Every structure is written in C-alpha cells, then in structure tokens.
Amino acid sequence: MKYVVDTSLINKLVDGSVHADELPKDGSFVASHIQIDELNRTKNSKRRSELLQKFSEAIDEVVPTESFVLGTSRLGEGKLGDGVSYGSIKTELDSLNGGKTNNSEDALIAEIAMKNGYVLLTADFHLYQVAYTLGIGTFYWTTT
C-alpha cells in the first residue's frame, strides 16, 4: 500500500499533534514536488527547516503529479493528464472553501491518490471531505 502525505500532516507531525506511531505501518509514504514547494514557502526559517527535516524522515518516494498546472507544476515533475480528475477535485474544493489559493495544490496532491489507488493522509478537513466524496481512500486526523 502507498500513502500520499498531505502537507497539512507534515505540519501536524512537527507540531506534535500527530505522532509518527499513528501513521499506517503497512506501506510506504509518497509525496510530490507540491508538498516540497509548500513547505519551502514557510517564511520562518527555523520552522521551514523543521518541516523539511520531517518531510525527509517521513517520505519514502517523491512522485510526479498526475496533471500539469501552469504556474503550479514543475517541468519534469508532472504528467500531462486529461484534467478531468484534477478539475473535479478542484471544483469541489472551491465550492467548499470559496476558492482558497492552495486548492490547486491540494487538488494535485489528492489526484495522485485518486489515479494510483493510493490512500491520502491529511489533517485538512476540506480536502478530506472532497476525497471522501469522490471515493478516494483517505485517513483524516482531527487535531486541535
């Protein structure tokens, strides 16, 4: 089994509100350049360093995104998809949260799970709701 780790979960692991022993034990953890890019945008350098360290400890493999979105995707790290799956995920996210600026990134992350039969691990409630609604396997961590 492979698990796609959402950026929100990396943050919760660093915060200590989710512990590594709570993660599934029956597979490997994957992410894409999207999560790396989101972590690299963290303004606080100490926090950014902690997040990237946790990412490198937790993630077994960096995989390409299943679609390529101009202005978001990196050349050579995203596939040319048909846009249907990505579009359905992003549309659902936009309708739930009024079009948050990172919905494009979240849609690309969830699409990796959708297209490959992986399970999405997240602490983002809207992303969880959309994944669940669209039949994407998901684990959601509710934290305070």
Side-chain angles (χ1 to χ4, degrees):
M1 174 62 65
K2 288 194 180 186
Y3 298 92
V4 180
V5 179
D6 179 40
T7 312
S8 64
L9 190 57
I10 298 293
N11 273 282
K12 299 301 181 183
L13 287 165
V14 169
D15 293 341
S17 55
V18 173
H19 300 281
D21 63 352
E22 297 176 55
L23 301 178
K25 308 282 188 266
D26 64 342
S28 61
F29 302 108
V30 302
S32 71
H33 76 88
I34 298 297
Q35 290 92 322
I36 296 168
D37 294 346
E38 288 180 326
L39 297 175
N40 275 319
R41 286 195 298 265
T42 303
K43 293 186 187 326
N44 181 296
S45 61
K46 181 178 185 293
R47 173 74 175 184
R48 182 175 55 249
S49 177
E50 292 171 344
L51 290 166
L52 291 169
Q53 178 63 37
K54 185 59 71 178
F55 179 90
S56 68
E57 292 169 4
I59 302 304
D60 298 306
E61 179 183 6
V62 175
V63 298
T65 57
E66 293 296 321
S67 294
F68 191 90
V69 176
L70 288 175
T72 301
S73 300
R74 288 189 200 167
L75 286 175
E77 296 188 48
K79 299 176 184 176
L80 293 176
D82 62 15
V84 174
S85 300
Y86 165 80
S88 65
I89 297 166
K90 185 171 182 312
T91 298
E92 290 293 323
L93 282 169
D94 287 345
S95 71
L96 273 179
N97 62 26
K100 277 178 38 183
T101 58
N102 72 326
N103 282 351
S104 180
E105 289 91 345
D106 283 349
L108 287 167
I109 292 168
E111 186 186 31
I112 294 168
M114 175 186 266
K115 291 276 191 153
N116 294 288
Y118 300 163
V119 175
L120 176 66
L121 306 180
T122 187
D124 177 324
F125 186 63
H126 288 148
L127 186 55
Y128 161 73
Q129 284 182 302
V130 169
Y132 181 81
T133 299
L134 295 175
I136 301 169
T138 186
F139 285 128
Y140 170 67
W141 280 263
T142 178
T143 60
T144 55

